[in-house]
């Protein structure tokens, strides 16, 4: 139960969360226990409910999240100066089946969203022509072609151009181009930082991810640029595409610059052929499809001390409802599961997935160790300042995004996730890298919770930004799509989660356009996986 100023999340916790700024000398009662604060405690931070000795366990969310580095007295604030990261050891010896009571989803059993049904039966939430390179040398050409087509075909957001015209000429008069292909929602591009001059494994990963994007049901065709001498040859990409989907049959145009004696002529040809290919695309309209066709990615970034109380649990309920309805949910960010491994292992249905998850986590830790660090160093300056003192505190709150459903699959980076159930999707914690990985896994909507704010979006999949507190929702109203802050003020979590689920359905139907798309935040970043080869063995 959320109270006005404090919250004890689990009855076994020896930490309480401050929902407001608290001051030394204030007294509180909880479960017949009286606590008087001996220090100030800022909102989103925690204080001890009992004396904790040196090396004593600090618990939150019903699980260990740290150890005391010195004695902590009852009513004292928890800081980086008195606790360190700690997580309970994980074992595979406990193979008891995971028992979960699926929620009642009868209120959504006949609900639908408007999606694009592709020839192979998969469902898209958008319809884009995609332009991308196989090497960074071609980024400029990719951007030039995309911008030219979007301008000519009426997809460009001209608000900033109008502002510039007003500054320079005193008039914002600009002739808008009508959209020539209403059934295509735009031309989107990807730029890369690899493809040559690096590890071959990076090129292979890049081709795997680009193949996943090309094959995504939100993409209806592609134009691909390469230079000719790069490591990521067209054959490498085409092989990756064939592995991803042996039946791939979308229109695909390839341009290799070293075969042309004029860049201008190549670009004109690329533009003309892309235009003709887009014109030839069979018009497809959105139709009503069941919610089981949704594959939602769960991500958090710029997290704060309220993330694990409001935004992430709301996403967790949406995830549970969706998977119960037959849809799919992907929980990403393996560094944000450091400290929550025990719960993840317990919830994996298959023993092989338990082993795979721990193997991937160990591989991630091995890579971090290679750089003289650990994934437990994950909390950023902003995280710590807003109450996420250890990685275990951050991770146990971050894991709430995955609800309580059983885990049906564990997927490596760019590996496709199943069409139903909850999957763990191996990505880093970095915002853009993680969203890139979720889309590569097949998600057609991404929900992104933030307590501090982030501009992250994606080129081909809508990223729905939700805030964990109302202050950031108001301050960054041009970025935030949905406010979970009312949970902190006492609104029942289920009520807020129902509203969030409705917003997800509107987003999938494009009845609601996410603010990341309005701001043209079309972000893409590949995860360089140096040192991770051993975790695939």
């Amino acid at each position: 139960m959320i109270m006005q100023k404090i919250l004890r999340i689990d009855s076994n916790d020896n930490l309480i969360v401050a929902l407001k700024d608290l001051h030394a000398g204030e007294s509180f009662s909880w479960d017949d226990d009286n606590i008087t604060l001996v220090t100030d405690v800022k909102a989103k931070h925690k204080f001890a409910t009992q004396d904790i000795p040196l090396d004593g366990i600090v618990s939150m969310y019903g699980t260990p999240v740290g150890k005391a580095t010195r004695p902590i007295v009852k009513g004292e604030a928890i800081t980086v100066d008195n606790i360190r990261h700690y997580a309970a050891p994980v074992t595979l010896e406990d193979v008891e089946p995971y028992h979960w009571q699926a929620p009642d989803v009868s209120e959504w059993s006949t609900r639908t969203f408007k999606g694009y049904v592709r020839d192979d039966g998969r469902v898209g939430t958008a319809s884009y022509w995609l332009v991308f390179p196989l090497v960074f040398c071609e980024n400029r050409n990719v951007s030039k072609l995309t911008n030219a087509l979007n301008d000519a075909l009426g997809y460009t957001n001209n608000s900033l151009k109008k502002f510039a015209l007003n500054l320079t000429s005193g008039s914002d008069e600009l002739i808008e181009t009508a959209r020539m292909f209403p059934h295509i929602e735009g031309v989107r591009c990807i730029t890369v930082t690899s493809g040559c001059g690096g590890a071959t494994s990076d090129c292979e990963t890049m081709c795997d991810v680009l193949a996943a994007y090309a094959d995504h049901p939100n993409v209806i065709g592609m134009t691909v640029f390469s230079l000719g001498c790069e490591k990521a040859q067209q054959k490498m990409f085409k092989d990756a595409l064939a592995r991803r989907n042996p039946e791939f049959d979308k229109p695909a145009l390839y341009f290799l610059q070293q075969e042309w004696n004029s860049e201008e002529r190549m670009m004109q040809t690329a533009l003309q052929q892309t235009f003709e290919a887009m014109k030839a695309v069979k018009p497809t309209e959105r139709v009503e499809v069941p919610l089981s066709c949704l594959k939602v990615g769960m991500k958090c970034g710029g997290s704060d001390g309220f993330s694990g109380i409001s935004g992430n649990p709301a996403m967790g309920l949406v995830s549970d409802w969706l998977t119960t309805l037959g849809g799919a949910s992907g929980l990403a960010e393996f560094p944000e599961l450091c400290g929550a491994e025990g719960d993840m292992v317990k919830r994996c249905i298959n023993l092989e997935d338990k082993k795979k998850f721990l193997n991937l986590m160990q591989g991630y830790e091995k890579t971090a160790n290679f750089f003289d660090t650990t994934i437990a160093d994950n909390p950023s300056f902003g995280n710590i300042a807003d109450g996420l003192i250890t990685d275990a505190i951050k991770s146990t709150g971050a894991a709430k995004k995955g609800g309580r459903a059983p885990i049906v699959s564990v997927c490596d980076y760019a590996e496709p996730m199943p069409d139903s159930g909850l999957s763990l999707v191996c990505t880093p914690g970095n915002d853009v890298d993680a969203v890139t990985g979720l889309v590569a896994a097949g998600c057609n909507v991404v929900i992104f919770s933030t307590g501090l704010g982030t501009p992250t979006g994606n080129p081909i999949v809508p990223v729905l930004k939700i805030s964990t507190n109302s202050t950031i929702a108001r301050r960054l109203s041009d970025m935030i799509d949905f406010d979970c802050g009312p949970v902190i003020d006492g609104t029942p979590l289920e009520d807020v989660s129902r509203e969030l689920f409705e917003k997800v359905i509107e987003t999938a139907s494009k009845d609601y356009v996410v603010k990341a798309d309005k701001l043209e935040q079309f972000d893409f970043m590949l995860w360089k996986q140096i040192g991770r080869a051993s975790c695939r063995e």
Side-chain angles (χ1 to χ4, degrees):
M1 175 181 174
I2 293 182
M3 300 183 70
Q4 185 178 5
K5 289 188 174 182
I6 63 173
L7 170 66
R8 190 177 199 166
I9 297 172
D10 188 280
S11 60
N12 295 315
D13 292 349
N14 58 9
L15 296 184
I16 281 181
V17 184
L19 302 180
K20 308 286 184 182
D21 286 342
L22 308 178
H23 304 285
E26 287 191 73
S27 295
F28 301 96
S29 295
W30 194 287
D31 292 341
D32 300 324
D33 187 19
N34 296 316
I35 304 168
T36 299
L37 298 183
V38 298
T39 64
D40 291 343
V41 185
K42 293 188 296 183
K44 307 180 185 179
H45 286 254
K46 294 85 185 168
F47 60 88
T49 64
Q50 60 190 47
D51 292 339
I52 302 172
L54 173 66
D55 286 330
I57 299 294
V58 176
S59 61
M60 191 173 166
Y61 299 107
T63 191
V65 293
K67 275 191 175 183
T69 57
R70 63 168 176 76
I72 302 171
V73 300
K74 182 177 180 179
E76 181 180 356
I78 299 301
T79 72
V80 292
D81 296 320
N82 57 23
I83 68 168
R84 61 178 173 83
H85 171 82
Y86 171 77
V90 181
T91 176
L92 291 177
E93 294 176 4
D94 180 12
V95 292
E96 289 293 320
Y98 176 62
H99 297 290
W100 178 64
Q101 181 63 50
D104 179 7
V105 294
S106 56
E107 64 184 288
W108 297 290
S109 61
T110 59
R111 288 294 303 278
T112 60
F113 72 96
K114 296 190 289 288
Y116 294 102
V117 179
R118 304 307 181 190
D119 291 342
D120 60 6
R122 293 184 298 164
V123 176
T125 57
S127 187
Y128 299 119
W129 189 277
L130 188 62
V131 185
F132 58 88
L134 297 182
V135 64
F136 51 80
C137 310
E138 293 297 315
N139 283 344
R140 181 185 66 256
N141 288 332
V142 163
S143 297
K144 284 169 63 177
L145 180 67
T146 302
N147 292 337
L149 283 167
N150 279 328
D151 282 345
L153 298 176
Y155 298 118
T156 301
N157 177 354
N158 285 312
S159 59
L160 194 60
K161 186 179 290 185
K162 287 181 179 180
F163 183 74
L165 285 172
N166 187 265
L167 285 177
T168 56
S169 66
S171 170
D172 61 0
E173 185 176 351
L174 186 67
I175 298 174
E176 297 286 352
T177 304
R179 292 193 176 184
M180 188 171 292
F181 307 128
H183 59 287
I184 300 175
E185 296 177 357
V187 181
R188 297 286 172 87
C189 74
I190 288 171
T191 58
V192 301
T193 58
S194 53
C196 199
T200 301
S201 60
D202 281 344
C203 295
E204 292 170 342
T205 297
M206 182 191 76
C207 286
D208 286 341
V209 174
L210 292 176
Y213 273 60
D215 185 53
H216 198 284
N218 284 12
V219 172
I220 46 89
M222 63 181 180
T223 302
V224 184
F225 285 93
S226 57
L227 181 60
C229 55
E230 61 278 336
K231 284 186 179 180
Q233 291 284 298
Q234 287 184 12
K235 183 180 184 305
M236 182 184 288
F237 169 73
K238 289 178 180 179
D239 287 346
L241 192 54
R243 288 194 301 272
R244 184 77 180 199
N245 183 0
E247 306 300 321
F248 183 87
D249 63 353
K250 297 176 188 178
L253 304 173
Y254 293 89
F255 293 90
L256 195 153
Q257 186 162 6
Q258 289 174 348
E259 291 181 347
W260 294 77
N261 59 16
S262 166
E263 180 176 295
E264 184 68 15
R265 189 174 298 114
M266 179 188 73
M267 293 300 295
Q268 290 174 351
T269 303
L271 194 151
Q272 181 178 5
Q273 291 187 10
T274 301
F275 173 74
E276 294 296 334
M278 292 175 68
K279 188 164 62 172
V281 170
K282 180 179 67 176
T284 303
E285 295 184 354
R286 290 179 182 266
V287 296
E288 299 291 345
V289 293
L291 296 183
S292 57
C293 296
L294 274 177
K295 301 177 79 171
V296 177
M298 302 295 178
K299 170 75 178 85
C300 60
S303 300
D304 70 349
F306 288 161
S307 293
I309 301 171
S310 60
N312 293 349
M315 293 165 68
L317 284 179
V318 170
S319 177
D320 285 345
W321 293 333
L322 179 61
T323 55
T324 302
L325 288 163
S329 175
L331 177 61
E333 303 179 274
F334 275 30
E336 314 251 335
L337 298 178
C338 175
E341 296 98 332
D343 185 53
M344 297 297 107
V345 167
K346 179 177 67 175
R347 290 165 58 189
C348 285
I349 294 175
N350 302 310
L351 179 60
E352 287 307 309
D353 281 326
K354 297 176 189 283
K355 293 178 179 178
K356 184 177 181 181
F357 169 67
L358 291 179
N359 199 27
L360 287 168
M361 290 292 285
Q362 290 162 4
Y364 207 121
E365 179 65 20
K366 181 179 178 181
T367 302
N369 295 161
F370 177 82
F371 292 101
D372 295 323
T373 186
T374 171
I375 57 176
D377 286 340
N378 177 273
S380 67
F381 171 81
N383 295 151
I384 293 169
D386 266 44
L388 302 178
I389 303 301
T390 70
D391 195 35
I393 291 177
K394 183 178 180 182
S395 293
T396 47
K400 297 289 183 182
K401 302 190 300 292
R404 297 306 305 163
I407 295 165
V408 301
S409 180
V410 176
C411 306
D412 202 351
Y413 194 63
E415 186 178 355
M417 61 191 252
D419 293 332
S420 61
L422 174 65
S423 296
L424 300 183
V425 179
C426 184
T427 75
N430 302 341
D431 291 355
V432 180
D433 303 59
V435 172
T436 297
L438 281 168
V439 174
C443 295
N444 52 20
V445 173
V446 173
I447 313 177
F448 193 125
S449 73
T450 182
L452 305 174
T454 173
T456 303
N458 184 262
I460 65 170
V461 166
V463 178
L464 184 72
K465 227 74 67 57
I466 71 173
S467 67
T468 68
N469 62 86
S470 297
T471 299
I472 204 70
R474 288 189 295 268
R475 186 189 309 152
L476 300 178
S477 59
D478 71 328
M479 247 187 240
I480 302 300
D481 298 287
F482 185 86
D483 181 18
C484 290
V487 172
I488 302 301
D489 298 325
T491 301
L493 177 64
E494 284 210 9
D495 292 352
V496 173
S497 302
R498 281 185 171 84
E499 292 180 26
L500 175 59
F501 199 11
E502 292 299 325
K503 184 66 74 174
V504 171
I505 295 169
E506 291 176 28
T507 299
S509 301
K510 212 167 187 179
D511 290 333
Y512 176 81
V513 179
V514 296
K515 293 180 180 178
D517 283 0
K518 289 181 179 179
L519 293 170
E520 297 187 326
Q521 295 165 340
F522 306 141
D523 304 307
F524 178 92
M525 190 175 295
L526 290 161
W527 182 24
K528 290 183 179 292
Q529 304 176 74
I530 297 171
R532 289 192 65 243
S534 62
C535 77
R536 291 196 178 94
E537 295 173 359

